[in-house]
Amino acid sequence: MTLTHHPRRAPRGAAAAIAATLLLAALAGCSDDKETMASWAQKGGKDQTVTIAQDVKTVIQESEPSSRSADHCRQVLADVKAARAYHPMPDQGTRTVWNESLDRLDTAATTCVHNAEAGTGGASLQEAIAAETSYRSFADSYGRQVNAKP
């Protein structure tokens, strides 16, 4: 018995759906929606990083307590909270180092507030240095990402 093979065409609806899906996938690849570290920085991320850098300096200075240590360190805590609430960085590796920097700065500022309120000093120099070291690691990663050629 001879079987005749006649190629069947895909139903028009299926072919149209496949074509539409491929077109949408191609357009999505060309979209500007994919945020880069450079665009994140331009849209306000850089301001966050500059504020946190200044806050690292503040907790180091507050290791020598002053009458305003608690107020200064409360402001650092508010800045850390704002940085955490800001739109996350698109690069996972840099975001991880950033979050570690924020954690260490939060610890140093919290200690500063507690010590200042108790009248026992200001920020722990050891915690302040840990925050600075962590921030430097972040700054290196951030600089490489922001300056990377697409």
Side-chain angles (χ1 to χ4, degrees):
M1 172 158 103
T2 306
L3 293 176
T4 309
H5 177 64
H6 296 287
R8 288 186 163 185
R9 297 181 122 196
R12 287 185 193 166
I18 291 170
T21 301
L22 292 173
L23 178 62
L24 288 174
L27 290 176
C30 297
S31 171
D32 287 338
D33 290 346
K34 192 171 187 178
E35 187 173 42
T36 64
M37 285 298 291
S39 65
W40 179 87
Q42 291 170 351
K43 294 176 184 174
K46 180 180 177 184
D47 296 337
Q48 295 295 320
T49 66
V50 168
T51 297
I52 295 301
Q54 292 167 342
D55 289 339
V56 169
K57 290 178 186 177
T58 298
V59 295
I60 290 171
Q61 291 169 346
E62 293 306 328
S63 66
E64 291 290 327
S66 70
S67 61
R68 303 214 7 124
S69 289
D71 292 336
H72 292 164
C73 291
R74 276 191 205 94
Q75 182 59 53
V76 170
L77 290 171
D79 293 343
V80 168
K81 183 177 179 180
R84 289 186 200 279
Y86 188 72
H87 180 69
M89 292 178 184
D91 180 74
Q92 177 64 43
T94 305
R95 184 170 54 239
T96 298
V97 181
W98 172 246
N99 288 335
E100 180 184 335
S101 297
L102 295 177
D103 290 345
R104 291 185 183 273
L105 185 57
D106 186 89
T107 298
T110 299
T111 298
C112 175
V113 170
H114 289 304
N115 288 347
E117 289 176 345
T120 58
S124 157
L125 183 57
Q126 182 178 0
E127 290 174 352
I129 290 172
E132 180 187 32
T133 302
S134 182
Y135 185 84
R136 284 180 189 236
S137 294
F138 158 72
D140 289 343
S141 178
Y142 174 74
R144 283 190 303 275
Q145 290 295 320
V146 169
N147 296 319
K149 303 287 185 221

